[in-house]
């Protein structure tokens, strides 16, 4: 019986740790809700931040500490400034000095740097004489400080510049795409776009294939094709640089769920991978479909349609981008969307129901 109770408590703890919570402000106090709209941590903080890596920073009087998802203090307030935990490590300020700490609040010894950077995919950057390198969570240098810029890693790869040229590096310290381009895109499924002099094209391994006449290419975003601009019009190319959909649109966004938003004669609609309209252009703006098979479209405010073009959630909301490491979409994320109406923020589910039947003075995205 005792073992069963222990296992049950462990299981409940694991569920709570994995659960995403959203910071909300009701009147003057901040608390955290789950995706049912129920308070997991009652509003009791004047100043606080969203959860990251299982912990959230809260300010008590003039000092910052960190709570867990049970609302209990994990790291006592002792910091004058803080960032967020990533990979079990956080950048904080104490007694006028910036440092790294672990989840016990202990100071960590890391390579010297002119500036402290957050960890991302197991690495943090360091700067020496205006050159950037990277080290891992154990403090071991993985990339020497020889880059002018390193962008945040996404799925194990990052754009970086060295000697004025751009390439792609991995979290293992490998050079994946040589440093020989004037501009370069995100690396996705072993391919990226790049610019060399005035030519734009695709890089597959070490081969650069120019696409004639193109003056801009967007990231693939894990899709088999991406959009590109030629002579002022936008079409779609595949990973060989072949035009699958000829340039004809004024604007476009990436394919998702086999549909892409495109703008024609100042109206947005959705095409399939053959270039045929599935949802006719009739909206003043449109975003990509989420994994919930809903997309935000704008008429008199924002609403949401399904992949047949049917309006599932009527227009009348404001929406905002969901920016984070590797996250660039608007609208729904795992069954909920943050929306604004009448000057207040809240969350709706895929049926348009307001979570907890409540609006807030502020509401941040659900995070773990």
């Amino acid at each position: 019986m005792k073992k069963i109770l222990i296992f049950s408590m462990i299981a409940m703890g694991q569920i709570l740790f994995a659960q995403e919570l959203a910071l909300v402000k009701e009147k003057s106090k901040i608390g955290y809700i789950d995706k049912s709209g129920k308070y997991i941590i009652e509003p009791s903080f004047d100043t606080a931040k969203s959860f990251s890596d299982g912990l959230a920073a809260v300010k008590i009087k003039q000092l910052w500490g960190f709570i867990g998802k049970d609302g209990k203090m994990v790291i006592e307030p002792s910091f004058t400034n803080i960032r967020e935990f990533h990979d079990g490590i956080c950048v904080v300020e104490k007694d006028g000095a910036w440092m790294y700490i672990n989840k016990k609040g202990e100071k960590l010894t890391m390579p010297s740097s002119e500036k402290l950077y957050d960890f991302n995919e197991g690495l943090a950057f360091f700067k020496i004489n205006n050159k950037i390198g990277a080290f891992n969570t154990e403090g071991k240098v993985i990339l020497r400080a020889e880059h002018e810029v390193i962008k945040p890693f996404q799925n194990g790869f990052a754009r970086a510049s060295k000697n004025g040229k751009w390439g792609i590096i991995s979290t293992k310290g490998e050079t994946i795409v040589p440093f020989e381009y004037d501009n370069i895109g995100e690396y996705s499924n072993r391919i990226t776009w790049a610019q060399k002099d005035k030519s734009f094209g695709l890089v597959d391994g070490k081969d650069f294939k120019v696409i004639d006449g193109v003056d801009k290419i967007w990231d693939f975003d894990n899709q088999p094709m991406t959009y590109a601009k030629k002579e002022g019009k936008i079409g779609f190319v595949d990973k060989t640089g072949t035009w699958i959909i000829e340039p004809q649109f004024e604007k476009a966004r990436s394919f998702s769920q086999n549909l892409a938003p495109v703008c024609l004669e100042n109206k947005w609609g959705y095409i399939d991978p053959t270039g045929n309209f599935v949802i006719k252009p009739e909206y003043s703006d449109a975003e990509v479909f989420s994994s919930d098979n809903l997309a935000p479209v704008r008429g008199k405010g924002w609403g949401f349609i399904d992949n047949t073009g049917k309006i599932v959630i009527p227009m009348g909301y404001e929406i905002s981008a969901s920016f984070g490491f590797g996250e660039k979409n608007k609208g729904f994320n795992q069954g909920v969307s943050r929306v604004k109406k009448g000057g207040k923020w809240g969350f709706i589910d895929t049926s348009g129901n307001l979570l907890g039947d409540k609006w807030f003075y502020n509401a941040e995205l659900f995070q773990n």
Side-chain angles (χ1 to χ4, degrees):
M1 187 69 177
K2 197 172 184 180
K3 287 183 178 180
I4 293 173
L5 181 60
I6 291 172
F7 286 138
S8 297
M9 291 175 66
I10 291 172
M12 288 177 65
Q14 290 174 337
I15 291 170
L16 182 61
F17 181 80
Q19 187 178 38
E20 290 188 334
L21 301 180
L23 177 153
V24 294
K25 186 174 184 179
E26 187 171 359
K27 296 181 180 178
S28 62
K29 296 293 184 179
I30 293 172
Y32 299 85
I33 62 171
D34 64 14
K35 287 187 177 179
S36 72
K38 175 187 174 183
Y39 273 110
I40 299 301
I41 301 172
E42 292 290 331
S44 57
F45 303 103
D46 294 320
T47 307
K49 296 195 176 187
S50 294
F51 273 89
S52 178
D53 209 3
L55 297 178
V58 296
K59 196 172 188 180
I60 307 297
K61 295 182 179 179
Q62 299 302 315
L63 295 176
W64 288 93
F66 293 86
I67 59 171
K69 291 185 179 178
D70 57 2
K72 295 179 180 178
M73 198 67 68
V74 176
I75 301 175
E76 292 297 324
S78 60
F79 308 107
T80 52
N81 213 337
I82 48 85
R83 296 194 198 150
E84 293 183 339
F85 269 94
H86 296 285
D87 298 311
I89 296 173
C90 185
V91 178
V92 299
E93 183 185 24
K94 186 174 184 177
D95 300 327
W98 286 92
M99 66 191 78
Y100 290 100
I101 62 168
N102 61 21
K103 287 189 173 182
K104 295 179 180 180
E106 299 167 334
K107 181 180 178 181
L108 301 175
T109 300
M110 294 295 183
S112 177
S113 178
E114 297 165 7
K115 175 183 176 181
L116 299 193
Y117 296 81
D118 292 333
F119 273 84
N120 163 230
E121 296 199 8
L123 295 181
F125 303 141
F126 68 100
K127 181 186 282 189
I128 300 293
N129 297 324
N130 283 325
K131 296 289 186 180
I132 306 293
F135 57 89
N136 64 18
T137 55
E138 297 176 352
K140 179 183 177 182
V141 172
I142 304 299
L143 292 161
R144 292 183 296 178
E146 56 187 16
H147 306 83
E148 286 92 23
V149 178
I150 305 177
K151 297 292 185 179
F153 282 91
Q154 292 191 31
N155 300 316
F157 304 98
R159 296 174 289 159
S161 68
K162 187 177 359 179
N163 300 323
K165 296 294 183 180
W166 287 86
I168 300 291
I169 57 176
S170 75
T171 52
K172 296 179 181 179
E174 305 163 322
T175 297
I176 305 300
V177 175
F179 292 88
E180 54 187 56
Y181 299 99
D182 296 304
N183 201 356
I184 202 164
E186 297 287 356
Y187 194 69
S188 173
N189 293 324
R190 302 185 63 177
I191 198 164
T192 186
W193 64 265
Q195 177 187 2
K196 184 179 285 189
D197 298 323
K198 294 183 179 181
S199 297
F200 283 79
L202 303 180
V203 182
D204 186 354
K206 295 183 179 180
D207 298 324
F208 178 55
K209 182 178 181 179
V210 174
I211 307 176
D212 291 332
V214 166
D215 56 19
K216 187 171 184 179
I217 305 174
W218 282 263
D219 293 331
F220 276 90
D221 290 330
N222 294 315
Q223 297 296 319
M225 67 177 85
T226 190
Y227 49 118
K229 183 186 287 186
K230 180 179 181 180
E231 298 176 356
K233 296 294 183 181
I234 294 175
F236 290 79
V237 296
D238 66 12
K239 292 181 178 180
T240 69
T242 302
W243 288 102
I244 302 301
I245 301 171
E246 291 294 324
Q248 58 192 285
F249 306 110
E250 296 149 18
K251 298 177 182 177
R253 295 191 171 100
S254 62
F255 271 93
S256 178
Q257 311 301 314
N258 285 319
L259 292 172
V262 295
C263 184
L264 192 63
E265 298 180 355
N266 293 318
K267 292 293 183 181
W268 286 84
Y270 293 81
I271 58 171
D272 64 18
T274 68
N276 293 316
F277 273 102
V278 174
I279 300 169
K280 64 182 181 180
E282 58 180 321
Y283 302 106
S284 59
D285 204 351
E287 294 289 339
V288 301
F289 274 87
S290 71
S291 58
D292 296 288
N293 286 312
L294 294 176
V297 292
R298 188 168 68 181
K300 293 181 179 179
W302 287 90
F304 295 84
I305 59 172
D306 65 17
N307 53 18
T308 69
K310 177 185 176 183
I311 295 179
V312 176
I313 300 172
M315 296 173 186
Y317 297 105
E318 294 178 48
I319 61 172
S320 62
S322 304
F323 285 105
F325 287 129
E327 189 176 23
K328 304 175 184 177
N329 56 309
K330 294 183 179 181
F332 276 88
N333 286 281
Q334 297 181 351
V336 296
S337 178
R338 181 177 63 165
V339 295
K340 188 177 185 181
K341 192 172 185 178
K344 290 189 176 182
W345 289 95
F347 299 93
I348 55 174
D349 64 19
T350 54
S351 296
N353 299 314
L354 183 65
L355 297 194
D357 197 29
K358 187 176 288 187
W359 293 98
F360 303 97
Y361 288 97
N362 186 36
E364 300 294 338
L365 297 170
F366 279 92
Q367 292 184 206
N368 191 34

